[in-house]
Amino acid sequence: MFCDTFYNISSIFRGDVDKIEVYGRLRGTAICGYQFFGLATMYSFVLLYYILHIKLFKRKILYFIFLTVFALLNGRFSIVALITGIAFYFIREILNGQLKKAISFIVIMIVFIISLIVLLYYYVDMISDPFLYKVVYNYLVQPLDSIFIDGEFRTPSTDYLQDMYESKYIQQFFIWGSGRFMDEAGGYFGSVDAGYLRILGYYGIIGFIFVFFSLFYLIFLTRSNLDIFTKIAFFCLFLAFNYKGDVQVYHNNIIPLMVAFLFFNKATDCDRSLGIVK
């Protein structure tokens, strides 16, 4: 995916993607059924689970690097999953009396993240591929410049998100709902794609409550042997990601992942024989 040769060879597995120049090649040409924000959320939930269960896996750092890079390439908002995972890991280890271990983990993660950011920030001009340059510049350089030069975090994406939350049109449907996710032209109803706005605009406040209760029921009230820290972390990540985009109703590819984590998280003999886990 980093070179034209691979892109051309793998095109037989990929359908046409509109606005590929807008999204960038690394996001738009993944060999999968769904790209962009939906794929980023899927990587994010896997990354969060991996961080909280990192002790079960071999080649820990290698897997962590791959998951982190893939998640961030598909969506900057995946940084929320990284922060959430590190925070919950830190809290859990402290409560278990592993303060030194928690501190060492945080230090390693911070050094890794800062090193990666500094490397990409200062050597972005050495990237020859124009599409990859665009991704790194828009995802990393531009936000950092807004902080260090302008004194505030701003990107076109965050400005657009803020404008959507100030939309008066979609707010008129928050009580009873409109029953519509898309408009006549196939675009987002009300020209908003923020998760909370889309769910409220579609279902209204009563349906909104039922939707989130169903999520709460699935994670906390079903018979799952997943630990409580991971459950809380998953729920918090759902709340955070729904602020950016709908990952619960429209982008429901997350629900099968959640079912897998909740009910199929125990290692099998096959996993051990393959060396996936201890």
Side-chain angles (χ1 to χ4, degrees):
M1 294 172 65
F2 286 87
C3 66
D4 292 329
T5 302
F6 178 82
Y7 172 72
N8 294 329
I9 293 174
S10 60
S11 292
I12 61 174
F13 302 105
R14 187 186 307 109
D16 293 332
V17 180
D18 294 333
K19 300 180 181 179
I20 191 170
E21 298 292 336
V22 176
Y23 284 105
R25 191 175 70 192
L26 292 179
R27 291 182 70 180
T29 61
I31 306 177
C32 64
Y34 191 84
Q35 297 95 355
F36 313 137
F37 182 71
L39 184 60
T41 56
M42 295 174 74
Y43 269 122
S44 295
F45 277 89
V46 174
L47 176 62
L48 176 60
Y49 179 87
Y50 180 76
I51 292 174
L52 294 177
H53 298 82
I54 194 169
K55 291 183 288 186
L56 299 177
F57 296 87
K58 297 179 179 179
R59 294 177 286 276
K60 298 176 175 57
I61 301 300
L62 179 63
Y63 293 157
F64 175 77
I65 292 174
F66 273 114
L67 285 172
T68 302
V69 171
F70 292 160
L72 293 177
L73 283 177
N74 281 279
R76 285 169 292 187
F77 212 69
S78 300
I79 192 68
V80 176
L82 183 63
I83 295 173
T84 302
I86 293 175
F88 273 88
Y89 183 95
F90 186 72
I91 294 172
R92 185 185 64 190
E93 294 303 310
I94 289 179
L95 293 178
N96 291 336
Q98 302 290 332
L99 180 59
K100 292 183 178 179
K101 189 174 182 180
I103 293 176
S104 63
F105 177 79
I106 293 295
V107 170
I108 292 173
M109 292 298 103
I110 291 176
V111 170
F112 166 74
I113 294 171
I114 292 178
S115 299
L116 182 62
I117 290 174
V118 171
L119 182 66
L120 291 174
Y121 183 83
Y122 284 103
Y123 292 96
V124 64
D125 292 332
M126 297 180 63
I127 300 176
S128 58
D129 189 307
F131 295 100
L132 182 57
Y133 175 88
K134 180 181 177 180
V135 170
V136 175
Y137 183 83
N138 291 343
Y139 277 27
L140 180 68
V141 177
Q142 190 179 55
L144 289 179
D145 284 345
S146 70
I147 296 174
F148 296 131
I149 298 176
D150 301 331
E152 60 178 339
F153 178 78
R154 292 190 63 183
T155 66
S157 179
T158 55
D159 291 342
Y160 180 59
L161 186 63
Q162 182 178 350
D163 291 340
M164 284 191 293
Y165 272 97
E166 295 174 356
S167 170
K168 299 298 182 182
Y169 177 78
I170 195 68
Q171 294 178 14
Q172 64 182 303
F173 302 104
F174 284 0
I175 302 299
W176 304 111
S178 65
R180 300 182 63 183
F181 254 72
M182 314 299 289
D183 58 24
E184 292 84 351
Y188 297 119
F189 180 72
S191 298
V192 299
D193 66 344
Y196 289 115
L197 300 184
R198 297 197 76 190
I199 297 174
L200 278 169
Y202 182 86
Y203 289 107
I205 186 63
I206 297 177
F208 178 87
I209 293 174
F210 274 105
V211 166
F212 276 89
F213 176 76
S214 68
L215 176 66
F216 180 87
Y217 187 94
L218 172 65
I219 295 177
F220 294 105
L221 301 182
T222 52
R223 289 190 176 184
S224 168
N225 52 17
L226 190 64
D227 63 284
I228 188 63
F229 270 91
T230 306
K231 289 182 178 181
I232 296 174
F234 276 152
F235 190 74
C236 290
L237 195 59
F238 261 108
L239 298 182
F241 267 85
N242 268 298
Y243 181 80
K244 177 66 171 65
D246 176 16
V247 297
Q248 196 171 338
V249 179
Y250 188 72
H251 297 315
N252 56 10
N253 46 10
I254 306 302
I255 302 302
L257 273 181
M258 190 58 50
V259 171
F261 286 134
L262 287 168
F263 304 110
F264 303 97
N265 60 78
K266 291 296 183 181
T268 64
D269 292 336
C270 180
D271 294 329
R272 296 187 179 91
S273 65
L274 292 175
I276 298 174
V277 297
K278 297 179 179 179

